[in-house]
Amino acid sequence: MKRRYFLMVAVAGATLLAGCKQGPNDNFLGYWKKIDNEMPLHVKPNSNDYMARLGRYNMPAKESSPGIITIETGNPLQLKHDAKNNQLQSIDNEEIVFKRISEDEYKIINEKWDNPYYKNTTK
C-alpha cells in the first residue's frame, strides 16, 4: 500500500516539476537591428529555447543565465536585455547594441541583407 502512495506522489511531483520549466523569456523575442550597421536580428521561440536569425543565418540560441541570451555563432554572441532602453547589448563588446524595431521595418532591412550583392558601407 505504501508503494502505491509513494508512486502516486512521485508521479505527481514529477508532473509539477515538469510544469515549472518556463518557456522563452519574452524580453528577447521580436525584431531587432544592430545600431551601427542595421544588421537584422529576429528572435523567436523554439521549444524552451530560441531560434535567432542574424543577418542571413538561422542559429540556435538559449538563455544561458537569467537575462542573458547566447546566440550560437562561431564565436558565441551573449546579449543582455536593457529594459531601460529596450535594447540588447553584448556582454563582451559594448559597441554591439541591437535596438527593437517593428516587423515591417525588419522586413525592409532583411531584404537588403538577403541580397547577396548588398554591401554595407558602414564599418
Side-chain angles (χ1 to χ4, degrees), residues 110-123:
N110 196 45
E111 278 184 34
K112 292 179 196 174
W113 283 86
D114 274 346
N115 180 352
Y117 302 108
Y118 175 70
K119 289 190 170 106
N120 193 346
T121 57
T122 62
K123 284 189 182 181

Side-chain angles (χ1 to χ4, degrees), residues 5-74:
Y5 287 123
F6 175 76
L7 183 60
M8 288 181 356
V9 169
V11 169
T15 304
L16 286 173
L17 287 175
C20 289
K21 173 100 171 103
Q22 295 180 352
N25 185 340
D26 289 341
N27 292 330
F28 300 121
L29 301 178
Y31 303 96
W32 308 85
K33 75 174 178 180
K34 193 171 171 196
I35 290 178
D36 67 346
N37 66 0
E38 294 194 340
M39 177 183 283
L41 170 64
H42 179 205
V43 180
K44 57 186 175 182
N46 183 23
S47 187
N48 285 328
D49 290 325
Y50 306 91
M51 183 57 71
R53 180 173 173 86
L54 183 61
R56 290 185 199 161
Y57 305 101
N58 290 316
M59 293 167 258
K62 62 182 176 187
E63 191 168 1
S64 52
S65 61
I68 298 175
I69 186 173
T70 301
I71 300 174
E72 301 296 332
T73 61

